[in-house]
Amino acid sequence: MEQVSEIFGENVFNETVMKARLPKETYKQLMKTIQGGEKLDASVATVVANAMKDWAVEKGATHYTHWFQPLTGITAEKHDSFIEPVDGGRVIMEFSGKELVQGEPDASSFPSGGIRATFEARGYTAWDPTSYAFIKDGTLCIPTAFCSYTGEALDKKTPLLRSMQAISKQAVRVLKLFEGNEAVTSVKTTVGPEQEYFLVDKSVYDKREDLIYTGRTLYGAKAPKGQELEDHYFGMIKPRVQEFMKDLNRELWKLGILAKTEHNEVAPAQHELAPIFSTTNIACDHNQLTMEMMRKIASKHGMVCLLHEKPFAGVNGSGKHNNWSISTNTGKNLLDPGATPESNAQFLLFLCAVIKAVDEYQDLLRISVASAGNDHRLGANEAPPAIISMFLGDELSGILDSIEKGVPYGKHEKEKMQIGVTVLPEFSKDTTDRNRTSPFAFTGNKFEFRMLGSNESIACANVFLNTVVAEELSQFADVLEKSSNFKNDLHELILKTIKEHKRIIFNGNGYDDSWVKEAEKRGLYNLKSTPEALPHILDEKNVKVFEKFGVYSKVELESRFEIHNENYSKIINIEAETMLEMARKDILPCASKYATSLASTIGLKKAACGECDTSYESEMLGKVSALTADIYKKSSELDKAVSEAKDLTSSGAASDKVAMFYREKVFAAMGQLRASADALEVITPKELWPFPSYGDLLYSVR
């Protein structure tokens, strides 16, 4: 039997492989690029390319690809073989430094938000040496950035790398002001993205047109049993799911992905996988691979992995908790409070930078998780509200209060847990509880940004988070570098930040209606939907902060604004068209057939027995007829709304206006149609209803 330690990273051209296969000087130069950010020499790339090719060919690879992350939200790859013709009709396997460093995929068919015209096809991919190359499906995959002919970023990796560079530079500036940081030369943000997902049997999935086209159920009455008993959460994992998880872990480990934790989630058929922390850039690459492998391996087990944020109404949706921290190249976690956080000035300053960033750029953090799918989830009873706030817990909140009031912090010793059973071991109680309703919660030595949707790349959220924290660290450094009394000015800066930005701290129940009113009093944003949130990306302060650090130019931000608006409109349009097709071709014919059956039964019963009781059939016929008429009417209303949206698009209306129309008119009409159809499903015989029910779907994997 294979040992995990033996297979881990076997398909990755990682540091161990490089050290064994590269000349010592080449390896040293490459490590300087990877770890220190130094420019890579062309001669080094040539040697690396040859070693990489030899390693890949030995493992059975015949092709290579520049693996990149365009603005579609998924990954892209174009395969080229290693073969080069030689005399005598033979071929050899070659891979040059130029082929490693640069590629030229056609850029015209990827989203650009107006940066590139359709006829302007040229785009470039550039090797990212900080993320290891790997072999997938017999192809050497080289992680790359993707940009236009004119240099604008057309992908998610490039801004992420820029943001990591920005926060590193500003954090080092701050750290150099404190003693003990002489060896610090760089800072990296690290992320551990927890991934939630659903598994359903492929046989029932194939009978649901809505799942196939949109990833979520557009119709579906609630099953008799959902998650009310809370018996699925951390429950026994079904053997079939366990086999899937076993194969998934094996494939992820072979790719060097640190898959660590797996368990059942709250909703039936819902599960979660959590990795160990990695550098943000690598974590992003790994999460994209994880989602791809989940889908691929589920298929091998006769299942389908659903990554949509809300595939089923009435039960929990799926998120992606982004556990974010900051660490130095010397291994120190800058968000670790230590044993005495009240006197750890360096920690308190970095904490204040995050508090200030989250408060001043609430809108950006909300935008970073905005999508048509996530709109269904945020604010429901399994996800944080759309209002951004921070949870710090009792201890840190108490420390900040004491600083603000100018009084000593009354430190509490850690309590021993008293469970009341003598055979159980004693252990210390944490100084603070966890808050699952908080969008942005401190959890010991990191922040858990809980608002991300399960289907989205983690890049955007981390780009925005890195950039806004870099801005606050930059401001702090500007003040403290000029200080003549560092200790006093540091205290005043922390005090000022607490007083001005404490409104963002909320340790209570984010699900409670009173919080919405309280947040409004505090002046916090409540951007409930994607079309409401997106326009803020072009607010002056937001453009300014991205341009300051070179993370996005204004042109790149405008392109993202266009792309996200168009994507939202297209998704709602596809869902609406799918609903209409299902209503016309399946639901209405089913309703008519059932009504005919009821009418026939009434006639037959009366013919056979004039005094026979037909009250059940008559009442049901009335309900079915009324719902049928209602569905037909609401289908027509939805059809009209879709037509108006298309006319609006054709007229050249601004993308944000079109997106808002889809939200207010089309999406609203979809909800009305669904309500009537779901009411009909409840009273229609199972054998007549044209789709598998929620019960069939949620309990399909046995």
Side-chain angles (χ1 to χ4, degrees), residues 30 36 52 80 138 153 166 198 205 421 549 565 579 595 647 650 688:
L30 184 57
M52 196 182 284
D80 287 296
F198 281 83
Y205 169 88
V421 181
F549 297 105
N565 276 312
M579 286 193 82
D647 289 342
S650 300
L688 290 181

Side-chain angles (χ1 to χ4, degrees), residues 9 28 55 76 97 193 198 264 392 401 448 455 581 666:
K28 282 169 118 178
W55 169 79
F198 281 83
N264 289 348
L392 294 183
D401 283 344
E448 184 178 23
N455 198 37
E581 182 163 307
V666 178

